[in-house]
Amino acid sequence: GINAEYGLVFRNKLMQYQGINLPDLLRRAIDQHEPVRREAETVLESFEKVPGFSVEILNTLTLSDQQTRFVGIVYLKKIVDKYWKQHSKTAYVIDEKEKAHIRENLLRVTIQEENHVVAVQMALVIGKISRLDFPDPWENLLSQLLSISQNTTGIPQTRSFLVLYHVVKVLSSRRLPTHKRQFTDIAIFLLEFITTIWRDSLDNFLNSLASPVLC
């Protein structure tokens, strides 16, 4: 799989720094001691153009340590900003297979994220990617979000609405005529969807008020 393919390249690079793994580096990047923090930031910066770095960062987002997840998603956002789009013919850009892996798995990780602050950062990254990759090649993004919001409850449903908000916000800001026409179609569909959810929620609320209270 892609984790094995890219992970080998990244781990070979990481072997230069004995006794350090990626979660450790991420935690050191926010250390209170400036020398420790600067060293970690320098090492992380040296990894940015290593194939598979974004995949390895994504893997840290499933760890139990909330602080590591937060720093990890902040770094992933930085990588997306710098290397997702080809800025010049000679500039480094993330491999298409690596991008596909991020698109496929970041949403899955986001809807399971329990911490709201971390989840917001994840939603922002998905929004940034959607600005460049929706509807092609991320054509199923909205259908995935709507399916999750309709067929789940609790945290996954809440996170799907959070991501949907940031995606719609980003898509509405695109200025090309083609993008504006796409957003018009999306807005009409989403209005119907949101109206349905609002009606269902209102009915449930009114029914709960009408139900007798058992003492």
Side-chain angles (χ1 to χ4, degrees):
I2 192 169
N3 273 304
E5 177 184 345
Y6 283 120
L8 180 61
V9 177
F10 176 77
R11 281 187 285 276
N12 285 340
K13 175 76 172 177
L14 190 61
M15 284 176 66
Q16 299 175 22
Y17 307 92
Q18 296 182 0
I20 298 178
N21 57 39
L22 184 55
D24 285 339
L25 275 175
L26 293 172
R27 285 189 286 269
R28 292 184 185 196
I30 55 171
D31 195 279
Q32 293 181 5
H33 298 90
E34 186 174 349
V36 175
R37 186 173 66 251
R38 284 191 173 182
E39 181 184 16
E41 290 173 346
T42 300
V43 175
L44 286 167
E45 187 174 351
S46 74
F47 288 154
E48 288 182 0
K49 297 182 182 180
V50 176
F53 182 53
S54 64
V55 172
E56 293 295 325
I57 288 286
L58 178 65
N59 290 338
T60 68
L61 303 184
T62 62
L63 299 177
S64 59
D65 179 22
Q66 176 183 313
Q67 187 180 59
T68 304
R69 297 199 309 276
F70 178 78
V71 183
I73 192 60
V74 169
Y75 264 88
L76 184 59
K77 183 165 63 173
K78 177 183 177 182
I79 294 167
V80 169
D81 282 336
K82 293 174 70 174
Y83 304 118
W84 200 269
K85 181 181 179 180
Q86 185 86 54
H87 294 288
S88 70
K89 290 183 179 180
T90 58
Y92 172 78
V93 65
I94 298 173
D95 179 83
E96 289 301 323
K97 190 185 295 185
E98 197 171 338
K99 288 181 181 180
H101 182 82
I102 298 297
R103 286 192 298 266
E104 182 180 340
N105 291 280
L106 181 55
L107 180 57
R108 174 182 57 80
V109 172
T110 302
I111 65 170
Q112 300 297 331
E113 176 55 54
E114 295 183 355
N115 181 268
H116 178 71
V117 175
V118 177
V120 168
Q121 294 301 313
M122 292 178 173
L124 286 169
V125 175
I126 293 174
K128 286 177 178 291
I129 296 173
S130 71
R131 184 181 191 88
L132 300 171
D133 287 7
F134 181 86
D136 182 31
W138 208 355
E139 60 184 359
N140 66 340
L141 172 59
L142 286 181
S143 62
Q144 284 182 302
L145 286 171
L146 297 183
S147 176
I148 294 167
S149 65
Q150 288 177 309
N151 299 308
T152 62
T153 57
I155 287 177
Q157 185 181 58
T158 301
R159 299 298 179 243
S160 70
F161 286 130
L162 175 66
V163 175
L164 185 62
Y165 166 77
H166 285 284
V167 168
V168 170
K169 183 178 180 181
V170 166
L171 296 182
S172 69
S173 68
R174 298 194 298 186
R175 292 289 175 254
L176 292 178
T178 302
H179 291 155
K180 288 185 176 182
R181 288 193 296 272
Q182 289 172 351
F183 185 75
T184 298
D185 295 337
I186 292 170
I188 293 171
F189 176 76
L190 286 178
L191 180 60
E192 296 175 356
F193 173 76
I194 293 170
T195 300
T196 300
I197 290 179
W198 179 80
R199 286 173 177 167
D200 291 343
S201 299
L202 181 61
D203 288 342
N204 291 334
F205 175 70
L206 293 176
N207 289 335
S208 69
L209 292 179
S211 300
V213 177
L214 299 178
C215 299

